Amino acid sequence: MSALALPANDNPDWDSGTAELGHVLKPGQLDLSHKVILYLEDITVSFDGFRALDKLSLTIDSGELRCIIGPNGAGKTTMMDVITGKTRPDEGTIFFGQTIDLTRLSEPEIAHIGIGRKFQKPTIFENHTVFENLELAMKTDKRVWRSLFAVLDSAASDRIAETLGLIRLSAHAARPAGLLSHGEKQWLEIGMLLMQEPKLLLLDEPVAGMTDEESERTGELFLSLAGRHSLVVVEHDMAFVRQIGGKVSVLHEGSVLAEGRLEEVQADPRVIEVYLGR
Ligand code: ADP
Ligand code: MG
């Protein structure tokens, strides 16, 4: 592969000297002995006295694929901001595995220890090929790839090929990313997250704007990732949530209103009230 011009990027994971963060988490240090990967207890976030999160408690099991639903303003995005360190909680605890207190880590540290987040707007490099996008996203010392760049070892190219297969873009590897459809760009960004080997993936409305077929393929992708990764998906599309099939948490006014299978929470009078009573 020829040398690439370094693209401008605004991904916060990418600059601030991640090589120095090695002390935060060594391989195997994530303690999943109680099968819980993410534990939030009594999280409160206030904006000018308004409680966007109000004693929010939530537990995600290792390998789980959890959907989060709830009306606009329920606090879903704020919850992701708090998990990723973008917003600090006023009160409450957040643990990654049994031992890592996320409220003590910075946003880049949290990304580095294995929590990946997908925003709604893709942040792919449009002028680079699909393959190059995945290559650029790989978890390496960025000071090394800034200077060396040229040689991609076979393990790395195998990983890129595997990821291309997972996100079903193998046939598009050599195409500039800017030419992909909206859905394909979303999958590429998920692939870029996967190149960083996250343990936990947070996805905010991943199927918004997708066709029904793209949405269904996205559901299949997430189902195939569960087990190896843990996923927390905020999504309004009920056909998608039904396809995923696991436990659903309903957020309302900054805390969990109901939890269970989709049919159960949809039959809960309190849930019907918050969706219809507005
Ligand atoms: P959701 O994603 O469930 O639609 P959000 O987490 O975006 O909800 O927002 C929850 C509430 O917090 C909303 O009422 C929103 O207006 C408010 N909010 C979110 N972020 C901020 C902020 N930075 N400053 C002030 N209010 C905010
Ligand atoms: Mg939101």
Side-chain angles (χ1 to χ4, degrees):
M1 164 144 313
S2 60
L4 301 170
L6 189 69
N9 87 67
D10 51 357
N11 182 336
D13 308 352
W14 282 37
D15 30 44
S16 41
T18 48
E20 287 121 54
L21 300 173
H23 66 280
V24 176
L25 185 69
K26 305 264 182 325
Q29 214 174 309
L30 178 63
D31 179 355
L32 298 173
S33 58
H34 290 74
K35 303 210 170 10
V36 170
I37 189 154
L38 184 70
Y39 178 78
L40 278 69
E41 188 180 17
D42 287 341
I43 294 293
T44 296
V45 171
S46 300
F47 296 113
D48 300 325
F50 170 77
R51 290 195 170 195
L53 296 180
D54 188 5
K55 291 192 170 291
L56 173 69
S57 296
L58 190 77
T59 303
I60 306 295
D61 287 337
S62 176
E64 190 180 351
L65 168 44
R66 174 78 57 91
C67 288
I68 310 279
I69 62 172
N72 283 333
K76 305 180 297 295
T77 299
T78 306
M79 177 193 76
M80 293 198 167
D81 290 344
V82 160
I83 297 166
T84 55
K86 187 177 176 210
T87 298
R88 293 286 158 197
D90 302 318
E91 283 172 57
T93 46
I94 314 177
F95 273 86
F96 188 44
Q98 292 299 301
T99 54
I100 299 164
D101 180 353
L102 291 181
T103 62
R104 291 169 171 274
L105 302 185
S106 69
E107 200 173 357
E109 285 171 331
I110 291 171
H112 186 75
I113 62 170
I115 298 183
R117 177 181 193 175
K118 174 164 179 345
F119 290 91
Q120 274 173 266
K121 189 174 167 288
T123 52
I124 58 173
F125 306 114
E126 304 244 333
N127 297 325
H128 289 280
T129 67
V130 168
F131 186 99
E132 287 162 353
N133 269 272
L134 293 176
E135 183 184 10
L136 288 164
M138 218 174 327
K139 197 173 193 171
T140 50
D141 185 336
K142 300 302 186 291
R143 288 172 309 191
V144 173
W145 70 246
R146 272 170 208 274
S147 53
L148 290 178
F149 238 112
V151 191
L152 197 58
D153 68 38
S154 66
S157 29
D158 287 353
R159 279 199 54 226
I160 294 174
E162 186 195 345
T163 303
L164 282 168
L166 267 176
I167 59 175
R168 304 199 212 193
L169 291 179
S170 305
H172 299 283
R175 287 182 78 197
L179 299 181
L180 298 176
S181 74
H182 169 76
E184 289 166 342
K185 285 179 184 173
Q186 300 285 339
W187 297 332
L188 176 56
E189 192 173 20
I190 293 166
M192 291 169 74
L193 277 176
L194 292 172
M195 294 308 293
Q196 298 181 18
E197 304 178 82
K199 298 281 190 291
L200 174 65
L201 276 160
L202 308 175
L203 303 113
D204 202 349
E205 303 189 27
V207 304
M210 285 190 182
T211 65
D212 289 350
E213 195 194 338
E214 287 173 337
S215 169
E216 193 172 339
R217 283 183 163 213
T218 305
E220 290 166 8
L221 170 62
F222 290 0
L223 287 163
S224 76
L225 296 176
R228 195 141 56 112
H229 304 268
S230 309
L231 295 91
V232 174
V233 184
V234 166
E235 192 46 73
H236 289 292
D237 183 326
M238 288 303 149
F240 177 86
V241 176
R242 192 167 300 115
Q243 179 194 356
I244 295 299
K247 193 196 257 190
V248 175
S249 301
V250 184
L251 254 64
H252 174 56
E253 294 181 349
S255 58
V256 174
L257 178 69
E259 230 165 47
R261 301 185 56 78
L262 182 62
E263 315 83 76
E264 291 166 4
V265 300
Q266 281 184 322
D268 187 322
R270 294 169 306 164
V271 175
I272 295 168
E273 169 70 22
V274 305
Y275 272 98
L276 301 180
R278 292 161 64 88

